[in-house]
Amino acid sequence: MRESEATMNPDLTEHNGRHRLRMHRRFDQSQQDVWPALVEPELLSRWYPATVDELQPTVGGAIRFSYSTAGGEQMRGTGQVTEYQEPEVLAFVELAMEDMPREGDTLLRFELRTDGPGCILLFSQEFDDRPAAAAYAAGWDACFDALGGVLSGASGGDYGARNGAASGATPGLARYEMYVHLFGLDQPAVSATEVAVERQLMMRSPEQVWRLLAPGGMPALEKLVPAGLGAGRVVEVVERERITVALPDRSRVQWELTTGPGGARLLVSQGPLHGTSTGTQWRDHVESVAEEIYALPDPAEQPS
């Protein structure tokens, strides 16, 4: 990636009770040349993570999207333009789809600022699901790479093919994990009574994670409890969903497995606390499990 195409100063902050991702990208093309790729459905569809079927260029105008799932199914999305100032600002709310309630409504804003002969794209996304932030950032990096290709005359293509992370390719996964650590998404939430880690695992299915945590259907305590917390006892197993372990200090460890954007979602917690655990201890343990999961073969690369 050329320096002029690199994402500059990405950050994740809280804004109006939600999470806001901000990313900047410089392009060699002028503001006037980039603007059509933001607002014309045919051009926008060549780099946006969906086919844009309609975009009404006015505040309050409708936007309609089509998504193709990995299984080949078609999903429809809708949104509404909240800002439109040609050739500088486009912002819209993309409404949550019924089968993706975790993600909620998303506010996306694109602003172009002249920078010499080129321009800078200032992008922001506001959303509710903080653990998904690294997946969003890595995805937008891939989209902006594709936008650079569209602007330079490349053909563009399917979002999944453009995004290295979507196919399990090492550069995409490495980029995703970089954002996990940059945004502190690997850090536990610690209170007086509980420590909890919510960790998104890209390109790894819940089934893969479950097989590591419970090989052959038998929970592996060494995967579920950090060394030093004592010998645990499994007290509940809900297959492919949840494992609960009782510890000698009367606290309980729970591993919950769901899905999130791009892969499996782990929610690991221990409580009530009795001074036997630290956030660092759980952070290191969950990260070691994540490393083992990423070392597993990617099902997408296995022969059918």
Side-chain angles (χ1 to χ4, degrees), residues 23-40 44 47 83-91 109-124 144 147-148 151:
M23 306 173 75
H24 302 168
R25 180 71 72 97
R26 187 185 187 281
F27 296 102
D28 294 335
Q29 293 77 12
S30 70
Q31 181 187 61
Q32 289 75 18
D33 289 336
V34 175
W35 178 253
L38 299 185
V39 298
E40 295 181 9
L44 183 54
W47 64 269
E83 291 183 73
Y84 192 93
Q85 183 179 345
E86 183 176 356
E88 296 176 4
V89 180
L90 169 69
R109 190 176 191 274
F110 305 84
E111 179 179 350
L112 297 176
R113 294 184 181 175
T114 295
D115 183 54
C119 69
I120 294 177
L121 169 63
L122 286 74
F123 167 77
S124 66
F144 297 149
L147 173 57
L151 295 172

mmCIF file of all heavy atoms in Angstrom, residues 23-40 44 47 83-91 109-124 144 147-148 151:
data_model
loop_
_atom_site.group_PDB
_atom_site.id
_atom_site.type_symbol
_atom_site.label_atom_id
_atom_site.label_comp_id
_atom_site.label_asym_id
_atom_site.label_seq_id
_atom_site.Cartn_x
_atom_site.Cartn_y
_atom_site.Cartn_z
ATOM 1 N N MET A 23 -11.681 7.396 10.582
ATOM 2 C CA MET A 23 -10.563 7.012 9.735
ATOM 3 C C MET A 23 -10.395 8.069 8.650
ATOM 4 O O MET A 23 -11.394 8.609 8.154
ATOM 5 C CB MET A 23 -10.815 5.637 9.096
ATOM 6 C CG MET A 23 -11.153 4.548 10.102
ATOM 7 S SD MET A 23 -11.638 2.962 9.350
ATOM 8 C CE MET A 23 -10.030 2.358 8.821
ATOM 9 N N HIS A 24 -9.138 8.371 8.306
ATOM 10 C CA HIS A 24 -8.839 9.326 7.233
ATOM 11 C C HIS A 24 -8.051 8.606 6.152
ATOM 12 O O HIS A 24 -7.219 7.753 6.441
ATOM 13 C CB HIS A 24 -7.998 10.497 7.771
ATOM 14 C CG HIS A 24 -8.643 11.248 8.888
ATOM 15 N ND1 HIS A 24 -7.954 12.165 9.646
ATOM 16 C CD2 HIS A 24 -9.901 11.218 9.395
ATOM 17 C CE1 HIS A 24 -8.768 12.677 10.571
ATOM 18 N NE2 HIS A 24 -9.947 12.102 10.427
ATOM 19 N N ARG A 25 -8.301 8.970 4.923
ATOM 20 C CA ARG A 25 -7.546 8.375 3.808
ATOM 21 C C ARG A 25 -7.306 9.464 2.759
ATOM 22 O O ARG A 25 -8.243 10.159 2.371
ATOM 23 C CB ARG A 25 -8.319 7.216 3.200
ATOM 24 C CG ARG A 25 -7.636 6.513 2.032
ATOM 25 C CD ARG A 25 -6.433 5.699 2.467
ATOM 26 N NE ARG A 25 -6.820 4.495 3.202
ATOM 27 C CZ ARG A 25 -6.933 3.297 2.661
ATOM 28 N NH1 ARG A 25 -6.716 3.126 1.364
ATOM 29 N NH2 ARG A 25 -7.250 2.257 3.408
ATOM 30 N N ARG A 26 -6.051 9.576 2.308
ATOM 31 C CA ARG A 26 -5.734 10.553 1.270
ATOM 32 C C ARG A 26 -5.749 9.886 -0.100
ATOM 33 O O ARG A 26 -5.272 8.760 -0.263
ATOM 34 C CB ARG A 26 -4.360 11.198 1.500
ATOM 35 C CG ARG A 26 -4.092 12.339 0.521
ATOM 36 C CD ARG A 26 -2.697 12.917 0.633
ATOM 37 N NE ARG A 26 -2.581 14.097 -0.208
ATOM 38 C CZ ARG A 26 -2.401 14.058 -1.533
ATOM 39 N NH1 ARG A 26 -2.300 12.901 -2.157
ATOM 40 N NH2 ARG A 26 -2.327 15.186 -2.225
ATOM 41 N N PHE A 27 -6.303 10.586 -1.085
ATOM 42 C CA PHE A 27 -6.312 10.130 -2.472
ATOM 43 C C PHE A 27 -5.640 11.173 -3.350
ATOM 44 O O PHE A 27 -5.728 12.381 -3.082
ATOM 45 C CB PHE A 27 -7.739 9.869 -2.949
ATOM 46 C CG PHE A 27 -8.429 8.757 -2.199
ATOM 47 C CD1 PHE A 27 -9.363 9.036 -1.210
ATOM 48 C CD2 PHE A 27 -8.120 7.437 -2.466
ATOM 49 C CE1 PHE A 27 -9.983 8.020 -0.504
ATOM 50 C CE2 PHE A 27 -8.741 6.402 -1.766
ATOM 51 C CZ PHE A 27 -9.672 6.698 -0.784
ATOM 52 N N ASP A 28 -4.994 10.715 -4.413
ATOM 53 C CA ASP A 28 -4.307 11.627 -5.315
ATOM 54 C C ASP A 28 -5.283 12.435 -6.168
ATOM 55 O O ASP A 28 -4.943 13.496 -6.679
ATOM 56 C CB ASP A 28 -3.364 10.850 -6.243
ATOM 57 C CG ASP A 28 -2.212 10.205 -5.484
ATOM 58 O OD1 ASP A 28 -1.860 10.706 -4.399
ATOM 59 O OD2 ASP A 28 -1.665 9.193 -5.982
ATOM 60 N N GLN A 29 -6.506 11.920 -6.318
ATOM 61 C CA GLN A 29 -7.500 12.592 -7.151
ATOM 62 C C GLN A 29 -8.132 13.771 -6.394
ATOM 63 O O GLN A 29 -8.181 13.795 -5.170
ATOM 64 C CB GLN A 29 -8.586 11.597 -7.589
ATOM 65 C CG GLN A 29 -8.097 10.509 -8.533
ATOM 66 C CD GLN A 29 -7.325 9.403 -7.825
ATOM 67 O OE1 GLN A 29 -7.320 9.313 -6.605
ATOM 68 N NE2 GLN A 29 -6.650 8.561 -8.609
ATOM 69 N N SER A 30 -8.664 14.711 -7.169
ATOM 70 C CA SER A 30 -9.261 15.905 -6.583
ATOM 71 C C SER A 30 -10.612 15.585 -5.934
ATOM 72 O O SER A 30 -11.221 14.536 -6.188
ATOM 73 C CB SER A 30 -9.467 16.975 -7.661
ATOM 74 O OG SER A 30 -10.495 16.568 -8.557
ATOM 75 N N GLN A 31 -11.074 16.515 -5.124
ATOM 76 C CA GLN A 31 -12.384 16.388 -4.482
ATOM 77 C C GLN A 31 -13.475 16.172 -5.526
ATOM 78 O O GLN A 31 -14.357 15.312 -5.364
ATOM 79 C CB GLN A 31 -12.652 17.658 -3.672
ATOM 80 C CG GLN A 31 -13.960 17.692 -2.904
ATOM 81 C CD GLN A 31 -14.199 19.053 -2.286
ATOM 82 O OE1 GLN A 31 -14.301 20.061 -2.993
ATOM 83 N NE2 GLN A 31 -14.261 19.101 -0.963
ATOM 84 N N GLN A 32 -13.436 16.923 -6.604
ATOM 85 C CA GLN A 32 -14.458 16.821 -7.658
ATOM 86 C C GLN A 32 -14.425 15.459 -8.342
ATOM 87 O O GLN A 32 -15.469 14.945 -8.765
ATOM 88 C CB GLN A 32 -14.271 17.937 -8.695
ATOM 89 C CG GLN A 32 -14.643 19.327 -8.193
ATOM 90 C CD GLN A 32 -13.605 19.917 -7.229
ATOM 91 O OE1 GLN A 32 -12.451 19.446 -7.187
ATOM 92 N NE2 GLN A 32 -13.999 20.920 -6.473
ATOM 93 N N ASP A 33 -13.233 14.857 -8.447
ATOM 94 C CA ASP A 33 -13.125 13.559 -9.089
ATOM 95 C C ASP A 33 -13.549 12.414 -8.163
ATOM 96 O O ASP A 33 -14.035 11.380 -8.628
ATOM 97 C CB ASP A 33 -11.689 13.317 -9.563
ATOM 98 C CG ASP A 33 -11.312 14.193 -10.757
ATOM 99 O OD1 ASP A 33 -12.231 14.622 -11.483
ATOM 100 O OD2 ASP A 33 -10.108 14.455 -10.942
ATOM 101 N N VAL A 34 -13.376 12.598 -6.866
ATOM 102 C CA VAL A 34 -13.742 11.548 -5.913
ATOM 103 C C VAL A 34 -15.238 11.553 -5.607
ATOM 104 O O VAL A 34 -15.852 10.503 -5.400
ATOM 105 C CB VAL A 34 -12.926 11.692 -4.612
ATOM 106 C CG1 VAL A 34 -13.375 10.670 -3.562
ATOM 107 C CG2 VAL A 34 -11.436 11.542 -4.898
ATOM 108 N N TRP A 35 -15.847 12.725 -5.603
ATOM 109 C CA TRP A 35 -17.248 12.867 -5.201
ATOM 110 C C TRP A 35 -18.197 11.907 -5.928
ATOM 111 O O TRP A 35 -19.035 11.264 -5.270
ATOM 112 C CB TRP A 35 -17.695 14.316 -5.379
ATOM 113 C CG TRP A 35 -19.139 14.554 -5.029
ATOM 114 C CD1 TRP A 35 -20.169 14.779 -5.894
ATOM 115 C CD2 TRP A 35 -19.701 14.572 -3.719
ATOM 116 N NE1 TRP A 35 -21.345 14.942 -5.217
ATOM 117 C CE2 TRP A 35 -21.100 14.828 -3.870
ATOM 118 C CE3 TRP A 35 -19.202 14.414 -2.436
ATOM 119 C CZ2 TRP A 35 -21.971 14.910 -2.789
ATOM 120 C CZ3 TRP A 35 -20.072 14.498 -1.349
ATOM 121 C CH2 TRP A 35 -21.422 14.747 -1.529
ATOM 122 N N PRO A 36 -18.113 11.744 -7.247
ATOM 123 C CA PRO A 36 -19.042 10.816 -7.909
ATOM 124 C C PRO A 36 -18.970 9.397 -7.370
ATOM 125 O O PRO A 36 -19.979 8.688 -7.342
ATOM 126 C CB PRO A 36 -18.624 10.878 -9.381
ATOM 127 C CG PRO A 36 -17.989 12.227 -9.532
ATOM 128 C CD PRO A 36 -17.271 12.455 -8.242
ATOM 129 N N ALA A 37 -17.781 8.972 -6.922
ATOM 130 C CA ALA A 37 -17.644 7.617 -6.394
ATOM 131 C C ALA A 37 -18.323 7.453 -5.041
ATOM 132 O O ALA A 37 -18.539 6.332 -4.584
ATOM 133 C CB ALA A 37 -16.163 7.251 -6.275
ATOM 134 N N LEU A 38 -18.681 8.581 -4.403
ATOM 135 C CA LEU A 38 -19.406 8.525 -3.139
ATOM 136 C C LEU A 38 -20.915 8.513 -3.324
ATOM 137 O O LEU A 38 -21.640 8.008 -2.455
ATOM 138 C CB LEU A 38 -19.034 9.722 -2.248
ATOM 139 C CG LEU A 38 -17.583 9.890 -1.820
ATOM 140 C CD1 LEU A 38 -17.466 11.064 -0.852
ATOM 141 C CD2 LEU A 38 -17.036 8.621 -1.189
ATOM 142 N N VAL A 39 -21.395 9.075 -4.439
ATOM 143 C CA VAL A 39 -22.840 9.314 -4.541
ATOM 144 C C VAL A 39 -23.517 8.658 -5.741
ATOM 145 O O VAL A 39 -24.750 8.579 -5.775
ATOM 146 C CB VAL A 39 -23.131 10.833 -4.565
ATOM 147 C CG1 VAL A 39 -22.660 11.490 -3.271
ATOM 148 C CG2 VAL A 39 -22.475 11.503 -5.771
ATOM 149 N N GLU A 40 -22.753 8.201 -6.723
ATOM 150 C CA GLU A 40 -23.374 7.541 -7.871
ATOM 151 C C GLU A 40 -23.440 6.042 -7.597
ATOM 152 O O GLU A 40 -22.407 5.400 -7.393
ATOM 153 C CB GLU A 40 -22.578 7.823 -9.143
ATOM 154 C CG GLU A 40 -22.597 9.292 -9.542
ATOM 155 C CD GLU A 40 -21.833 9.563 -10.826
ATOM 156 O OE1 GLU A 40 -21.441 8.569 -11.499
ATOM 157 O OE2 GLU A 40 -21.617 10.748 -11.146
ATOM 158 N N LEU A 44 -20.344 3.704 -6.489
ATOM 159 C CA LEU A 44 -20.327 3.401 -5.064
ATOM 160 C C LEU A 44 -20.347 1.890 -4.833
ATOM 161 O O LEU A 44 -19.668 1.368 -3.937
ATOM 162 C CB LEU A 44 -21.525 4.077 -4.391
ATOM 163 C CG LEU A 44 -21.680 3.954 -2.881
ATOM 164 C CD1 LEU A 44 -20.429 4.401 -2.147
ATOM 165 C CD2 LEU A 44 -22.892 4.771 -2.409
ATOM 166 N N TRP A 47 -17.025 -0.235 -4.539
ATOM 167 C CA TRP A 47 -16.121 -0.270 -3.394
ATOM 168 C C TRP A 47 -16.847 -0.354 -2.054
ATOM 169 O O TRP A 47 -16.255 -0.771 -1.046
ATOM 170 C CB TRP A 47 -15.200 0.958 -3.395
ATOM 171 C CG TRP A 47 -15.907 2.273 -3.224
ATOM 172 C CD1 TRP A 47 -16.390 3.081 -4.207
ATOM 173 C CD2 TRP A 47 -16.209 2.926 -1.984
ATOM 174 N NE1 TRP A 47 -16.983 4.198 -3.665
ATOM 175 C CE2 TRP A 47 -16.872 4.133 -2.296
ATOM 176 C CE3 TRP A 47 -15.976 2.617 -0.648
ATOM 177 C CZ2 TRP A 47 -17.314 5.032 -1.321
ATOM 178 C CZ3 TRP A 47 -16.414 3.503 0.328
ATOM 179 C CH2 TRP A 47 -17.073 4.704 -0.012
ATOM 180 N N GLU A 83 -27.099 14.044 5.623
ATOM 181 C CA GLU A 83 -26.371 15.232 5.164
ATOM 182 C C GLU A 83 -26.039 15.040 3.694
ATOM 183 O O GLU A 83 -25.642 13.952 3.279
ATOM 184 C CB GLU A 83 -25.060 15.444 5.928
ATOM 185 C CG GLU A 83 -25.184 15.845 7.369
ATOM 186 C CD GLU A 83 -23.815 16.095 7.987
ATOM 187 O OE1 GLU A 83 -23.179 17.129 7.669
ATOM 188 O OE2 GLU A 83 -23.360 15.233 8.762
ATOM 189 N N TYR A 84 -26.161 16.120 2.924
ATOM 190 C CA TYR A 84 -25.765 16.061 1.516
ATOM 191 C C TYR A 84 -25.337 17.460 1.100
ATOM 192 O O TYR A 84 -26.151 18.372 0.986
ATOM 193 C CB TYR A 84 -26.922 15.580 0.633
ATOM 194 C CG TYR A 84 -26.479 15.228 -0.774
ATOM 195 C CD1 TYR A 84 -26.131 13.925 -1.104
ATOM 196 C CD2 TYR A 84 -26.390 16.202 -1.767
ATOM 197 C CE1 TYR A 84 -25.716 13.585 -2.383
ATOM 198 C CE2 TYR A 84 -25.963 15.885 -3.043
ATOM 199 C CZ TYR A 84 -25.628 14.581 -3.354
ATOM 200 O OH TYR A 84 -25.214 14.267 -4.615
ATOM 201 N N GLN A 85 -24.024 17.608 0.919
ATOM 202 C CA GLN A 85 -23.464 18.903 0.537
ATOM 203 C C GLN A 85 -22.429 18.660 -0.556
ATOM 204 O O GLN A 85 -21.281 18.332 -0.291
ATOM 205 C CB GLN A 85 -22.824 19.601 1.745
ATOM 206 C CG GLN A 85 -22.288 20.991 1.447
ATOM 207 C CD GLN A 85 -21.689 21.655 2.676
ATOM 208 O OE1 GLN A 85 -21.903 21.212 3.801
ATOM 209 N NE2 GLN A 85 -20.916 22.706 2.456
ATOM 210 N N GLU A 86 -22.854 18.806 -1.793
ATOM 211 C CA GLU A 86 -21.988 18.533 -2.938
ATOM 212 C C GLU A 86 -20.941 19.625 -3.087
ATOM 213 O O GLU A 86 -21.266 20.812 -2.976
ATOM 214 C CB GLU A 86 -22.844 18.449 -4.202
ATOM 215 C CG GLU A 86 -22.085 18.093 -5.444
ATOM 216 C CD GLU A 86 -22.991 17.935 -6.661
ATOM 217 O OE1 GLU A 86 -24.231 18.025 -6.528
ATOM 218 O OE2 GLU A 86 -22.453 17.742 -7.762
ATOM 219 N N PRO A 87 -19.663 19.278 -3.318
ATOM 220 C CA PRO A 87 -19.056 17.944 -3.416
ATOM 221 C C PRO A 87 -18.253 17.608 -2.168
ATOM 222 O O PRO A 87 -17.109 17.152 -2.283
ATOM 223 C CB PRO A 87 -18.146 18.102 -4.625
ATOM 224 C CG PRO A 87 -17.609 19.518 -4.465
ATOM 225 C CD PRO A 87 -18.721 20.311 -3.803
ATOM 226 N N GLU A 88 -18.835 17.841 -0.991
ATOM 227 C CA GLU A 88 -18.049 17.724 0.236
ATOM 228 C C GLU A 88 -18.532 16.642 1.199
ATOM 229 O O GLU A 88 -17.716 15.874 1.707
ATOM 230 C CB GLU A 88 -18.037 19.076 0.972
ATOM 231 C CG GLU A 88 -17.342 20.190 0.201
ATOM 232 C CD GLU A 88 -17.446 21.527 0.920
ATOM 233 O OE1 GLU A 88 -17.999 21.550 2.043
ATOM 234 O OE2 GLU A 88 -16.994 22.531 0.369
ATOM 235 N N VAL A 89 -19.829 16.588 1.486
ATOM 236 C CA VAL A 89 -20.302 15.742 2.585
ATOM 237 C C VAL A 89 -21.471 14.870 2.153
ATOM 238 O O VAL A 89 -22.443 15.362 1.575
ATOM 239 C CB VAL A 89 -20.741 16.592 3.807
ATOM 240 C CG1 VAL A 89 -21.239 15.686 4.929
ATOM 241 C CG2 VAL A 89 -19.589 17.456 4.299
ATOM 242 N N LEU A 90 -21.352 13.588 2.457
ATOM 243 C CA LEU A 90 -22.467 12.649 2.371
ATOM 244 C C LEU A 90 -22.534 11.910 3.696
ATOM 245 O O LEU A 90 -21.533 11.372 4.171
ATOM 246 C CB LEU A 90 -22.263 11.637 1.239
ATOM 247 C CG LEU A 90 -23.251 10.460 1.232
ATOM 248 C CD1 LEU A 90 -24.654 10.925 0.868
ATOM 249 C CD2 LEU A 90 -22.787 9.351 0.292
ATOM 250 N N ALA A 91 -23.705 11.884 4.310
ATOM 251 C CA ALA A 91 -23.908 11.114 5.530
ATOM 252 C C ALA A 91 -25.277 10.454 5.450
ATOM 253 O O ALA A 91 -26.223 11.021 4.894
ATOM 254 C CB ALA A 91 -23.818 12.002 6.774
ATOM 255 N N ARG A 109 -20.587 8.718 7.784
ATOM 256 C CA ARG A 109 -20.362 10.079 7.281
ATOM 257 C C ARG A 109 -19.063 10.114 6.476
ATOM 258 O O ARG A 109 -18.019 9.627 6.938
ATOM 259 C CB ARG A 109 -20.282 11.083 8.431
ATOM 260 C CG ARG A 109 -20.284 12.545 7.989
ATOM 261 C CD ARG A 109 -20.306 13.479 9.198
ATOM 262 N NE ARG A 109 -20.574 14.854 8.809
ATOM 263 C CZ ARG A 109 -19.625 15.718 8.415
ATOM 264 N NH1 ARG A 109 -18.344 15.339 8.389
ATOM 265 N NH2 ARG A 109 -19.955 16.955 8.078
ATOM 266 N N PHE A 110 -19.128 10.664 5.278
ATOM 267 C CA PHE A 110 -17.985 10.799 4.382
ATOM 268 C C PHE A 110 -17.815 12.284 4.066
ATOM 269 O O PHE A 110 -18.747 12.919 3.559
ATOM 270 C CB PHE A 110 -18.213 10.029 3.082
ATOM 271 C CG PHE A 110 -18.537 8.573 3.285
ATOM 272 C CD1 PHE A 110 -19.841 8.167 3.542
ATOM 273 C CD2 PHE A 110 -17.544 7.612 3.202
ATOM 274 C CE1 PHE A 110 -20.151 6.822 3.715
ATOM 275 C CE2 PHE A 110 -17.844 6.265 3.374
ATOM 276 C CZ PHE A 110 -19.148 5.873 3.636
ATOM 277 N N GLU A 111 -16.639 12.831 4.351
ATOM 278 C CA GLU A 111 -16.361 14.237 4.051
ATOM 279 C C GLU A 111 -15.067 14.327 3.254
ATOM 280 O O GLU A 111 -14.058 13.708 3.615
ATOM 281 C CB GLU A 111 -16.237 15.051 5.337
ATOM 282 C CG GLU A 111 -15.925 16.530 5.088
ATOM 283 C CD GLU A 111 -15.831 17.355 6.358
ATOM 284 O OE1 GLU A 111 -16.185 16.839 7.438
ATOM 285 O OE2 GLU A 111 -15.393 18.528 6.264
ATOM 286 N N LEU A 112 -15.084 15.103 2.170
ATOM 287 C CA LEU A 112 -13.910 15.312 1.336
ATOM 288 C C LEU A 112 -13.344 16.705 1.572
ATOM 289 O O LEU A 112 -14.083 17.692 1.536
ATOM 290 C CB LEU A 112 -14.274 15.140 -0.141
ATOM 291 C CG LEU A 112 -14.748 13.766 -0.580
ATOM 292 C CD1 LEU A 112 -15.153 13.792 -2.050
ATOM 293 C CD2 LEU A 112 -13.673 12.705 -0.347
ATOM 294 N N ARG A 113 -12.040 16.778 1.785
ATOM 295 C CA ARG A 113 -11.360 18.066 1.947
ATOM 296 C C ARG A 113 -10.194 18.125 0.972
ATOM 297 O O ARG A 113 -9.402 17.174 0.866
ATOM 298 C CB ARG A 113 -10.846 18.250 3.375
ATOM 299 C CG ARG A 113 -11.942 18.364 4.426
ATOM 300 C CD ARG A 113 -11.367 18.648 5.795
ATOM 301 N NE ARG A 113 -12.408 18.729 6.814
ATOM 302 C CZ ARG A 113 -12.173 18.876 8.118
ATOM 303 N NH1 ARG A 113 -10.904 18.949 8.550
ATOM 304 N NH2 ARG A 113 -13.175 18.940 8.973
ATOM 305 N N THR A 114 -10.092 19.241 0.279
ATOM 306 C CA THR A 114 -9.009 19.425 -0.685
ATOM 307 C C THR A 114 -7.663 19.410 0.021
ATOM 308 O O THR A 114 -7.489 20.006 1.097
ATOM 309 C CB THR A 114 -9.204 20.751 -1.438
ATOM 310 O OG1 THR A 114 -10.401 20.672 -2.206
ATOM 311 C CG2 THR A 114 -8.032 21.021 -2.364
ATOM 312 N N ASP A 115 -6.696 18.715 -0.575
ATOM 313 C CA ASP A 115 -5.349 18.630 -0.028
ATOM 314 C C ASP A 115 -4.372 18.699 -1.197
ATOM 315 O O ASP A 115 -4.005 17.687 -1.789
ATOM 316 C CB ASP A 115 -5.164 17.334 0.756
ATOM 317 C CG ASP A 115 -3.791 17.248 1.406
ATOM 318 O OD1 ASP A 115 -3.425 18.177 2.145
ATOM 319 O OD2 ASP A 115 -3.087 16.253 1.158
ATOM 320 N N GLY A 116 -3.975 19.937 -1.572
ATOM 321 C CA GLY A 116 -3.139 20.118 -2.742
ATOM 322 C C GLY A 116 -3.906 19.664 -3.978
ATOM 323 O O GLY A 116 -5.096 19.933 -4.122
ATOM 324 N N PRO A 117 -3.260 18.910 -4.867
ATOM 325 C CA PRO A 117 -3.963 18.428 -6.066
ATOM 326 C C PRO A 117 -4.908 17.267 -5.751
ATOM 327 O O PRO A 117 -5.740 16.897 -6.580
ATOM 328 C CB PRO A 117 -2.832 17.971 -6.980
ATOM 329 C CG PRO A 117 -1.722 17.597 -6.044
ATOM 330 C CD PRO A 117 -1.828 18.553 -4.891
ATOM 331 N N GLY A 118 -4.774 16.666 -4.562
ATOM 332 C CA GLY A 118 -5.622 15.542 -4.180
ATOM 333 C C GLY A 118 -6.653 15.945 -3.145
ATOM 334 O O GLY A 118 -7.054 17.101 -3.043
ATOM 335 N N CYS A 119 -7.098 14.978 -2.368
ATOM 336 C CA CYS A 119 -8.066 15.277 -1.313
ATOM 337 C C CYS A 119 -7.945 14.236 -0.212
ATOM 338 O O CYS A 119 -7.356 13.168 -0.389
ATOM 339 C CB CYS A 119 -9.497 15.316 -1.848
ATOM 340 S SG CYS A 119 -10.157 13.720 -2.368
ATOM 341 N N ILE A 120 -8.507 14.575 0.936
ATOM 342 C CA ILE A 120 -8.537 13.670 2.081
ATOM 343 C C ILE A 120 -9.991 13.299 2.360
ATOM 344 O O ILE A 120 -10.866 14.176 2.420
ATOM 345 C CB ILE A 120 -7.898 14.299 3.326
ATOM 346 C CG1 ILE A 120 -6.397 14.522 3.086
ATOM 347 C CG2 ILE A 120 -8.111 13.412 4.553
ATOM 348 C CD1 ILE A 120 -5.689 15.210 4.235
ATOM 349 N N LEU A 121 -10.236 12.020 2.510
ATOM 350 C CA LEU A 121 -11.548 11.524 2.908
ATOM 351 C C LEU A 121 -11.543 11.364 4.421
ATOM 352 O O LEU A 121 -10.729 10.620 4.975
ATOM 353 C CB LEU A 121 -11.840 10.179 2.231
ATOM 354 C CG LEU A 121 -13.067 9.412 2.746
ATOM 355 C CD1 LEU A 121 -14.351 10.191 2.507
ATOM 356 C CD2 LEU A 121 -13.152 8.036 2.106
ATOM 357 N N LEU A 122 -12.441 12.072 5.096
ATOM 358 C CA LEU A 122 -12.628 11.941 6.535
ATOM 359 C C LEU A 122 -13.889 11.103 6.745
ATOM 360 O O LEU A 122 -14.996 11.528 6.378
ATOM 361 C CB LEU A 122 -12.790 13.304 7.221
ATOM 362 C CG LEU A 122 -11.536 14.167 7.373
ATOM 363 C CD1 LEU A 122 -11.120 14.771 6.043
ATOM 364 C CD2 LEU A 122 -11.764 15.279 8.380
ATOM 365 N N PHE A 123 -13.706 9.936 7.298
ATOM 366 C CA PHE A 123 -14.804 8.987 7.448
ATOM 367 C C PHE A 123 -15.106 8.769 8.926
ATOM 368 O O PHE A 123 -14.200 8.712 9.761
ATOM 369 C CB PHE A 123 -14.422 7.653 6.819
ATOM 370 C CG PHE A 123 -15.345 6.519 7.184
ATOM 371 C CD1 PHE A 123 -16.587 6.393 6.577
ATOM 372 C CD2 PHE A 123 -14.977 5.594 8.165
ATOM 373 C CE1 PHE A 123 -17.442 5.352 6.926
ATOM 374 C CE2 PHE A 123 -15.821 4.553 8.510
ATOM 375 C CZ PHE A 123 -17.057 4.436 7.894
ATOM 376 N N SER A 124 -16.388 8.626 9.257
ATOM 377 C CA SER A 124 -16.759 8.226 10.606
ATOM 378 C C SER A 124 -17.954 7.290 10.560
ATOM 379 O O SER A 124 -18.777 7.345 9.642
ATOM 380 C CB SER A 124 -17.069 9.444 11.493
ATOM 381 O OG SER A 124 -18.227 10.113 11.046
ATOM 382 N N PHE A 144 -11.653 1.178 1.265
ATOM 383 C CA PHE A 144 -10.940 2.364 0.777
ATOM 384 C C PHE A 144 -9.793 1.970 -0.152
ATOM 385 O O PHE A 144 -9.435 2.735 -1.055
ATOM 386 C CB PHE A 144 -10.442 3.199 1.953
ATOM 387 C CG PHE A 144 -11.554 3.742 2.822
ATOM 388 C CD1 PHE A 144 -11.370 3.942 4.186
ATOM 389 C CD2 PHE A 144 -12.799 4.033 2.286
ATOM 390 C CE1 PHE A 144 -12.387 4.429 4.980
ATOM 391 C CE2 PHE A 144 -13.835 4.518 3.074
ATOM 392 C CZ PHE A 144 -13.623 4.711 4.424
ATOM 393 N N LEU A 147 -11.682 1.651 -3.282
ATOM 394 C CA LEU A 147 -12.023 2.976 -3.797
ATOM 395 C C LEU A 147 -10.822 3.576 -4.523
ATOM 396 O O LEU A 147 -10.964 4.173 -5.603
ATOM 397 C CB LEU A 147 -12.470 3.888 -2.656
ATOM 398 C CG LEU A 147 -12.699 5.362 -3.004
ATOM 399 C CD1 LEU A 147 -13.716 5.522 -4.123
ATOM 400 C CD2 LEU A 147 -13.125 6.145 -1.757
ATOM 401 N N GLY A 148 -9.627 3.425 -3.937
ATOM 402 C CA GLY A 148 -8.435 3.918 -4.621
ATOM 403 C C GLY A 148 -8.261 3.267 -5.982
ATOM 404 O O GLY A 148 -7.875 3.918 -6.956
ATOM 405 N N LEU A 151 -10.795 4.780 -8.429
ATOM 406 C CA LEU A 151 -10.393 6.126 -8.842
ATOM 407 C C LEU A 151 -9.232 6.097 -9.829
ATOM 408 O O LEU A 151 -9.113 6.985 -10.681
ATOM 409 C CB LEU A 151 -10.008 6.951 -7.613
ATOM 410 C CG LEU A 151 -11.143 7.241 -6.618
ATOM 411 C CD1 LEU A 151 -10.588 7.894 -5.364
ATOM 412 C CD2 LEU A 151 -12.212 8.131 -7.261
#
